[in-house]
Amino acid sequence: DAVNKTPRTALRNEYELTLSLELFIQEGNPVYAEDIIEWDVNLTRPADILRCNIVSLGFRNRSFLIGSNTSIPEGSNIRDAVIGNNVTIDNAVSLHRVLVFDESHINTNEQLENVVITPRAIIPCLDVGE
């Protein structure tokens, strides 16, 4: 009812939720706070998307996720990594805190850590955080 009583703004022709809440309270209705967000991050840099994927692994109690049509060579060490679909990995590799986009190709046997791998580049992510 409070939203229906809220006038639209002249500038944007939208409802202002804060005004609706004010009307709701003025009518004597209680308003309660509820914690619903477990985790929040801004996605600005490659390190942010890497961090989001690592946190998502933790929520799922997983150490890694591997997409379809992707195989990991025997002897590889995969920790805190999300590897997309149709990824080609030529050699046994160590991947720690790594996000690999779909269709990427990894042709190294070096340890890769704190990087985002795309089909065109390996992007270092020095400030991944916890």
Side-chain angles (χ1 to χ4, degrees), residues 68-81:
S68 63
N69 207 26
T70 295
S71 61
I72 306 299
E74 189 173 323
S76 294
N77 181 11
I78 312 295
R79 296 177 314 164
D80 296 331

PDB file of all heavy atoms in Angstrom, residues 68-81:
ATOM      1  N   SER A  68      33.140 -28.869 -18.148  1.00  0.00           N
ATOM      2  CA  SER A  68      32.966 -30.005 -19.047  1.00  0.00           C
ATOM      3  C   SER A  68      33.955 -29.936 -20.207  1.00  0.00           C
ATOM      4  O   SER A  68      34.412 -28.865 -20.603  1.00  0.00           O
ATOM      5  CB  SER A  68      31.524 -30.055 -19.570  1.00  0.00           C
ATOM      6  OG  SER A  68      31.241 -28.912 -20.330  1.00  0.00           O
ATOM      7  N   ASN A  69      34.279 -31.102 -20.706  1.00  0.00           N
ATOM      8  CA  ASN A  69      35.178 -31.246 -21.848  1.00  0.00           C
ATOM      9  C   ASN A  69      36.568 -30.686 -21.541  1.00  0.00           C
ATOM     10  O   ASN A  69      37.246 -30.158 -22.416  1.00  0.00           O
ATOM     11  CB  ASN A  69      34.592 -30.601 -23.099  1.00  0.00           C
ATOM     12  CG  ASN A  69      35.118 -31.248 -24.358  1.00  0.00           C
ATOM     13  OD1 ASN A  69      35.500 -32.410 -24.352  1.00  0.00           O
ATOM     14  ND2 ASN A  69      35.138 -30.481 -25.430  1.00  0.00           N
ATOM     15  N   THR A  70      36.959 -30.754 -20.271  1.00  0.00           N
ATOM     16  CA  THR A  70      38.284 -30.326 -19.831  1.00  0.00           C
ATOM     17  C   THR A  70      38.893 -31.486 -19.058  1.00  0.00           C
ATOM     18  O   THR A  70      38.250 -32.047 -18.181  1.00  0.00           O
ATOM     19  CB  THR A  70      38.185 -29.092 -18.908  1.00  0.00           C
ATOM     20  OG1 THR A  70      37.686 -27.994 -19.650  1.00  0.00           O
ATOM     21  CG2 THR A  70      39.541 -28.732 -18.314  1.00  0.00           C
ATOM     22  N   SER A  71      40.116 -31.848 -19.420  1.00  0.00           N
ATOM     23  CA  SER A  71      40.790 -32.908 -18.671  1.00  0.00           C
ATOM     24  C   SER A  71      42.098 -32.366 -18.114  1.00  0.00           C
ATOM     25  O   SER A  71      42.747 -31.523 -18.720  1.00  0.00           O
ATOM     26  CB  SER A  71      41.033 -34.141 -19.549  1.00  0.00           C
ATOM     27  OG  SER A  71      41.858 -33.804 -20.636  1.00  0.00           O
ATOM     28  N   ILE A  72      42.434 -32.864 -16.956  1.00  0.00           N
ATOM     29  CA  ILE A  72      43.632 -32.433 -16.251  1.00  0.00           C
ATOM     30  C   ILE A  72      44.672 -33.540 -16.380  1.00  0.00           C
ATOM     31  O   ILE A  72      44.407 -34.688 -16.014  1.00  0.00           O
ATOM     32  CB  ILE A  72      43.323 -32.167 -14.757  1.00  0.00           C
ATOM     33  CG1 ILE A  72      42.156 -31.186 -14.607  1.00  0.00           C
ATOM     34  CG2 ILE A  72      44.562 -31.669 -14.040  1.00  0.00           C
ATOM     35  CD1 ILE A  72      42.378 -29.823 -15.194  1.00  0.00           C
ATOM     36  N   PRO A  73      45.864 -33.213 -16.897  1.00  0.00           N
ATOM     37  CA  PRO A  73      46.898 -34.245 -17.036  1.00  0.00           C
ATOM     38  C   PRO A  73      47.291 -34.851 -15.692  1.00  0.00           C
ATOM     39  O   PRO A  73      47.314 -34.160 -14.665  1.00  0.00           O
ATOM     40  CB  PRO A  73      48.083 -33.480 -17.650  1.00  0.00           C
ATOM     41  CG  PRO A  73      47.466 -32.298 -18.329  1.00  0.00           C
ATOM     42  CD  PRO A  73      46.289 -31.934 -17.480  1.00  0.00           C
ATOM     43  N   GLU A  74      47.601 -36.121 -15.712  1.00  0.00           N
ATOM     44  CA  GLU A  74      48.045 -36.814 -14.505  1.00  0.00           C
ATOM     45  C   GLU A  74      49.292 -36.130 -13.959  1.00  0.00           C
ATOM     46  O   GLU A  74      50.153 -35.680 -14.707  1.00  0.00           O
ATOM     47  CB  GLU A  74      48.352 -38.280 -14.834  1.00  0.00           C
ATOM     48  CG  GLU A  74      48.607 -39.125 -13.613  1.00  0.00           C
ATOM     49  CD  GLU A  74      48.737 -40.589 -13.956  1.00  0.00           C
ATOM     50  OE1 GLU A  74      48.022 -41.064 -14.855  1.00  0.00           O
ATOM     51  OE2 GLU A  74      49.557 -41.251 -13.293  1.00  0.00           O
ATOM     52  N   GLY A  75      49.361 -36.034 -12.627  1.00  0.00           N
ATOM     53  CA  GLY A  75      50.497 -35.393 -11.976  1.00  0.00           C
ATOM     54  C   GLY A  75      50.279 -33.911 -11.723  1.00  0.00           C
ATOM     55  O   GLY A  75      51.129 -33.252 -11.131  1.00  0.00           O
ATOM     56  N   SER A  76      49.152 -33.372 -12.166  1.00  0.00           N
ATOM     57  CA  SER A  76      48.854 -31.961 -11.930  1.00  0.00           C
ATOM     58  C   SER A  76      48.429 -31.748 -10.481  1.00  0.00           C
ATOM     59  O   SER A  76      47.887 -32.645  -9.847  1.00  0.00           O
ATOM     60  CB  SER A  76      47.735 -31.483 -12.856  1.00  0.00           C
ATOM     61  OG  SER A  76      48.162 -31.503 -14.195  1.00  0.00           O
ATOM     62  N   ASN A  77      48.679 -30.548  -9.975  1.00  0.00           N
ATOM     63  CA  ASN A  77      48.285 -30.173  -8.618  1.00  0.00           C
ATOM     64  C   ASN A  77      47.341 -28.975  -8.745  1.00  0.00           C
ATOM     65  O   ASN A  77      47.767 -27.898  -9.171  1.00  0.00           O
ATOM     66  CB  ASN A  77      49.524 -29.818  -7.790  1.00  0.00           C
ATOM     67  CG  ASN A  77      49.184 -29.436  -6.374  1.00  0.00           C
ATOM     68  OD1 ASN A  77      48.063 -29.611  -5.913  1.00  0.00           O
ATOM     69  ND2 ASN A  77      50.153 -28.903  -5.673  1.00  0.00           N
ATOM     70  N   ILE A  78      46.071 -29.179  -8.403  1.00  0.00           N
ATOM     71  CA  ILE A  78      45.052 -28.145  -8.566  1.00  0.00           C
ATOM     72  C   ILE A  78      44.484 -27.800  -7.199  1.00  0.00           C
ATOM     73  O   ILE A  78      43.943 -28.671  -6.515  1.00  0.00           O
ATOM     74  CB  ILE A  78      43.901 -28.628  -9.486  1.00  0.00           C
ATOM     75  CG1 ILE A  78      44.440 -29.269 -10.772  1.00  0.00           C
ATOM     76  CG2 ILE A  78      42.930 -27.502  -9.768  1.00  0.00           C
ATOM     77  CD1 ILE A  78      45.186 -28.344 -11.673  1.00  0.00           C
ATOM     78  N   ARG A  79      44.613 -26.523  -6.769  1.00  0.00           N
ATOM     79  CA  ARG A  79      44.062 -26.070  -5.485  1.00  0.00           C
ATOM     80  C   ARG A  79      43.465 -24.681  -5.679  1.00  0.00           C
ATOM     81  O   ARG A  79      44.069 -23.825  -6.324  1.00  0.00           O
ATOM     82  CB  ARG A  79      45.130 -25.962  -4.405  1.00  0.00           C
ATOM     83  CG  ARG A  79      45.786 -27.245  -4.007  1.00  0.00           C
ATOM     84  CD  ARG A  79      46.875 -26.992  -2.999  1.00  0.00           C
ATOM     85  NE  ARG A  79      47.694 -25.858  -3.465  1.00  0.00           N
ATOM     86  CZ  ARG A  79      48.526 -25.188  -2.728  1.00  0.00           C
ATOM     87  NH1 ARG A  79      48.671 -25.465  -1.477  1.00  0.00           N
ATOM     88  NH2 ARG A  79      49.240 -24.193  -3.209  1.00  0.00           N
ATOM     89  N   ASP A  80      42.333 -24.456  -5.076  1.00  0.00           N
ATOM     90  CA  ASP A  80      41.672 -23.154  -5.151  1.00  0.00           C
ATOM     91  C   ASP A  80      41.638 -22.648  -6.587  1.00  0.00           C
ATOM     92  O   ASP A  80      42.120 -21.555  -6.904  1.00  0.00           O
ATOM     93  CB  ASP A  80      42.366 -22.129  -4.246  1.00  0.00           C
ATOM     94  CG  ASP A  80      42.283 -22.507  -2.783  1.00  0.00           C
ATOM     95  OD1 ASP A  80      41.301 -23.168  -2.401  1.00  0.00           O
ATOM     96  OD2 ASP A  80      43.191 -22.137  -2.026  1.00  0.00           O
ATOM     97  N   ALA A  81      41.062 -23.465  -7.454  1.00  0.00           N
ATOM     98  CA  ALA A  81      41.036 -23.129  -8.872  1.00  0.00           C
ATOM     99  C   ALA A  81      39.670 -23.442  -9.472  1.00  0.00           C
ATOM    100  O   ALA A  81      39.038 -24.432  -9.115  1.00  0.00           O
ATOM    101  CB  ALA A  81      42.123 -23.890  -9.622  1.00  0.00           C
TER     102      ALA A  81
END
